[in-house]
Amino acid sequence: HVQLVESGGGSVQAGGSLVLTCAASGRLYDNWCVGWFRQGPTNEREAVATVDSTGRAYYSEAVKGRFTISKQTWFLQMRNLRPEDTGLYRCAYSWNVSARTALETIIRPEFGYWGDGTQVTVS
């Protein structure tokens, strides 16, 4: 079992920056994959970024060039935030899946483990 706890969310003005963190505990695997997705006001889920143990990272088109996910820390660095980035940001963990595949599957409950999320509001 893996537990994930996110932090770092908050309220910022458009153009601002935030760094989200994801702390993991429990049984972790060497061939891991970690990612972030966000949920809007109607609970729709949207993949944001993924990274795997090989160091490969993938981003949704909506955030490419503005967000960076770290292989070392699993942090999500968010720059030049826009109102449409508002949402509940959740960290997800799985294993034996590539970051590329994870960008499509991270929003499915069977992906692995999800944290409860941290709220980001951009105005």
Side-chain angles (χ1 to χ4, degrees):
H1 187 70
V2 175
Q3 292 182 321
L4 303 170
V5 179
E6 304 90 337
S7 62
S11 297
V12 296
Q13 292 187 335
S17 301
L18 284 173
V19 177
L20 306 184
T21 67
C22 176
S25 61
R27 182 176 181 178
L28 303 179
Y29 296 87
D30 291 338
N31 190 23
W32 53 264
C33 180
V34 169
W36 291 87
F37 68 95
R38 60 193 181 191
Q39 288 182 217
T42 58
N43 281 333
E44 73 279 11
R45 302 183 195 122
E46 177 188 8
V48 172
T50 57
V51 65
D52 61 31
S53 53
T54 68
R56 293 186 180 91
Y58 288 84
Y59 301 89
S60 69
E61 288 299 319
V63 307
K64 195 175 293 183
R66 301 186 297 120
F67 290 13
T68 304
I69 187 170
S70 168
K71 175 197 173 186
Q72 288 76 23
T73 64
W74 301 348
F75 289 2
L76 184 68
Q77 170 77 54
M78 306 188 296
R79 299 184 178 89
N80 191 19
L81 284 161
R82 303 168 181 169
E84 53 264 39
D85 294 320
T86 293
L88 180 69
Y89 282 70
R90 303 179 69 175
C91 179
Y93 174 93
S94 190
W95 58 97
N96 292 336
V97 60
S98 70
R100 182 173 185 172
T101 299
L103 197 63
E104 299 178 7
T105 60
I106 192 174
I107 61 172
R108 302 174 189 170
E110 62 268 28
F111 175 77
Y113 295 96
W114 292 349
D116 290 334
T118 184
Q119 179 67 34
V120 172
T121 303
V122 186
S123 59

